Structure formats: structure tokens, C-alpha cells
Amino acid sequence: MERWAARGAIQLALMDGGFDSNSVTAAEMELVVDKLLAKQLVTQKVADVPGVCAKIRAALGGVRDSPSTDTPDRVFQRLGKSKRE
Amino acid sequence: MTLLVVVSVLICSIVGSAIGARLLALARETRQLPELFIGTGVFAYSSIALPSLLIMGLPSLSLGAIRSFQLLQQGANFVTLLAVLLFTWRVFRPDAAWAPALVVAATALAVAASWGSVSVAPQTPGASAIPEQARPYVSLMILVWAVAFGWTGVESLRFHAKMRRRLALGAGDPLVCNRFLLWAIWGLACGALDLLDLAYNLAGFDFSRHPAPLLTICASCLVSGVVWYLAFFAPQSYELLVLKQSGAR
């Protein structure tokens, strides 16, 4: 699979899941790979879809999230922080 | 009608002051700009701009005192507008090149409109009616408000759609998703009410007496009070309802 085609497939899967490539966390990416990327790869007639997904999942294991990225959902999470929490 | 206006303004003022103070306390704790912007905006509007508006309508007040409250109200309104613009830019479009340009342009227009509005002093005690000479500036100010509200509403609605897709995957927090929806409702409702006010101002309505603009004041105050409460200080029963509805889907 071409690199640009792989990037495009991942980008489309992220968009389907409501995520942005610059702020998605490793855990969220795993969810996207498991639930959306496989479908995306099938539509692009990629051979060995489970193998490609397994490779990406393995690569995600070594990714650490940057806690400094402030996204709208993190801001809105903080804004609703109640006294109970 | 006057009683309805007073009650709705007071409700919004009390609820907003408490929530604005809570958001400012949160900003002090987290040291983050979004909390500071939105806390400042909600607090300045609720605890300064709205009470000033009510006080300006008192018949026993001298012209000098009315003038002071007019300046105070304009100042607080400007701070609130700037806070909403900065919040929307910082939270939703921190990397977009056009967003700071929009903030600067809207701020410059708001400064010009505020300056023009306060350059005309109130003529009679007890009347918060807009002097004819100030109407073009008031129209400009209302338009800038509508843009600021509409912008934050559209951005929040866009993010609410993303959050719904995440929830369908089993990621994300239903309460945060609902908070985006509430903020979008607030922005879009206040933006629409501002466009109504713009039409009333262009038609030459007396904002202190005509029922139509008085109704929009009531509506915007009630929408603001309810949305701020549910979005930023929701009771447990509301949170449980949102979680239950999310689970049912």
C-alpha cells in the first residue's frame, strides 16, 4: 500500500470517528483502527487488512501522548468540573 | 412587561455572577486561558453590565449617575465581547490564521461602536432609551455581538457533531458532548436575538418601552441563565439524565 494512500485511509477513518489527526490520543487511535480503519481499507481493496491493522496497533504501543495539547473537548471537560470531583 | 424584564435580568445576573466567579476560581486553579476568558466574560456581563442596565432605568437617578452607569455598562459589555471572541479563538481555532484577524477586526469595530455609543449622554433620568444620534453605533455594536455569538455557536455545534461520532465509537464523555450542545444553543440563540434587536434598532424602536426588544432581553437573559447553569454547574439529576439518554442510544 502506498504511503499517501495509507495516510489518506487513516485520515478518513479519523474523520469518521470525529477525531483530529493533531490531537488524537493513542487510545483513541486504537479505537479508530479497531472499529473504522479496517472498513476503510476494505473499501480501498487493500490486501491483508488484518495484517495492516495489527502493524498499526503494534506501532501505537510505543506512542506516548503529549499531555500539553489543549483541545476543545479537554477545555469543555475542565469547564464542567464540579465541586464533587 | 417591566416586571418580567426585571425578574429575568435579576435571575441571569445572580446565576451568571455565581457561575462566572466559579469559572474564575477554576482559572486560578488550572492557570489556563479558556477558563479565564469565559469566567471574565460571564462575570463582567452578569455582575456589572446587567445590574447597570437595570439601575439606569431608575427614575430617581441623576443624569450624572446615569452617565456613570452607562460608561460602566459599556465597559463591561466590551470586556464580555472580547472574552467571548478570545475564548472562541483560543479553544476552537488556535491554529487558524484568519481567527486572530477576525478577533482584531471585531474588537476594532466594537471599540468604535462603544466610543460612538457613549459619546451621546442620556438626556432624561429614568429613560434607558437610545438617543437617535447613537443608533448607528448601537447597530454596529449589536452586529459585532451577533457575529461573536454566531461564531462561538457554530464552532461549538461543529464540535458537538464530532463528539457524537466519538460517542458512537464508545469514546468521549456524554456530559462534554452535551456541554458543546448547550454552548452552541446559547451562542446561536443569542446571535439570533441580536439580529432581531438589530432590526428593532433600525426600525427605531424604543428599547426601554417597546415590548418586542424588551422580550428579546428577557429571552436572552433566561437562555443565558439556564444554559450557563446546565453547562457549567449542572445538578446531578441533569447529569444523570444526559448519561441515561446517552446510554439509551
Side-chain angles (χ1 to χ4, degrees):
Chain A
M1 190 180 188
E2 296 284 345
R3 190 179 178 86
W4 64 267
R7 286 174 71 102
I10 290 174
Q11 189 66 46
L12 286 172
L14 283 171
M15 280 170 65
D16 281 350
F19 296 102
D20 293 315
S21 54
N22 55 358
S23 62
V24 67
T25 64
E28 289 165 345
M29 190 66 208
E30 273 184 36
L31 207 60
V32 170
V33 171
D34 287 344
K35 298 197 173 177
L36 298 171
L37 186 65
K39 273 188 228 164
Q40 194 60 244
L41 294 175
V42 168
T43 62
Q44 294 190 6
K45 297 185 173 55
V46 171
D48 189 21
V49 170
V52 172
C53 289
K55 267 189 189 175
I56 296 174
R57 230 176 280 122
L60 283 171
V63 174
R64 281 191 187 167
D65 291 324
S66 155
S68 60
T69 317
D70 209 9
T71 56
D73 49 315
R74 282 171 209 161
V75 172
F76 272 65
Q77 179 99 49
R78 291 201 305 267
L79 290 178
K81 201 168 81 170
S82 68
K83 301 279 183 201
R84 291 187 293 275
E85 287 169 33
Chain B
M1 180 57 80
T2 309
L3 183 66
L4 186 64
V5 172
V6 171
V7 170
S8 54
V9 168
L10 278 177
I11 288 172
C12 183
S13 183
I14 292 164
V15 171
S17 297
I19 288 169
R22 199 193 77 79
L23 291 170
L24 285 173
L26 183 68
R28 198 175 164 189
E29 185 188 315
T30 62
R31 305 265 164 203
Q32 296 291 325
L33 285 175
E35 291 90 313
L36 179 65
F37 291 147
I38 208 59
T40 304
V42 171
F43 191 79
Y45 184 72
S46 308
S47 61
I48 302 172
L50 284 180
S52 300
L53 184 72
L54 277 187
I55 293 168
M56 278 166 67
L58 294 174
S60 54
L61 226 58
S62 69
L63 276 176
I66 292 176
R67 179 72 170 155
S68 304
F69 281 109
Q70 183 199 23
L71 295 174
L72 198 61
Q73 193 223 3
Q74 283 290 335
N77 268 342
F78 178 75
V79 167
T80 305
L81 176 72
L82 189 61
V84 170
L85 288 167
L86 289 172
F87 174 81
T88 309
W89 169 29
R90 181 73 177 75
V91 173
F92 295 106
R93 297 284 181 180
D95 303 320
W98 56 266
L102 177 63
V103 172
V104 169
T107 306
L109 289 173
V111 168
S114 296
W115 187 260
S117 298
V118 298
S119 64
V120 186
Q123 304 296 315
T124 48
S128 52
I130 300 163
E132 283 307 313
Q133 310 95 295
R135 278 195 188 270
Y137 299 109
V138 173
S139 287
L140 179 61
M141 193 63 175
I142 295 173
L143 191 63
V144 177
W145 270 108
V147 168
F149 280 136
W151 183 28
T152 206
V154 167
E155 295 288 3
S156 197
L157 200 60
R158 192 175 65 89
F159 227 86
H160 173 251
K162 282 186 178 187
M163 292 298 291
R164 280 175 62 98
R165 291 206 292 273
R166 292 184 196 183
L167 287 178
L169 275 186
D173 181 344
L175 294 174
V176 176
C177 180
N178 182 257
R179 209 165 287 140
F180 278 112
L181 178 63
L182 289 168
W183 189 252
I185 289 171
W186 177 72
L188 295 174
C190 290
L193 290 168
D194 270 344
L195 291 179
L196 270 180
D197 273 344
L198 179 63
Y200 298 150
N201 191 48
L202 292 173
F205 286 8
D206 180 346
F207 273 54
S208 65
R209 287 189 180 83
H210 197 287
L214 289 178
L215 264 179
T216 62
I217 293 174
C218 294
S220 72
C221 282
L222 292 175
V223 167
S224 299
V226 170
V227 165
W228 293 339
Y229 177 57
L230 293 179
F232 304 127
F233 208 67
Q236 204 169 11
S237 55
Y238 180 76
E239 292 186 345
L240 288 173
L241 184 73
V242 171
L243 292 172
K244 196 176 160 188
Q245 281 186 341
S246 168
R249 264 188 244 121

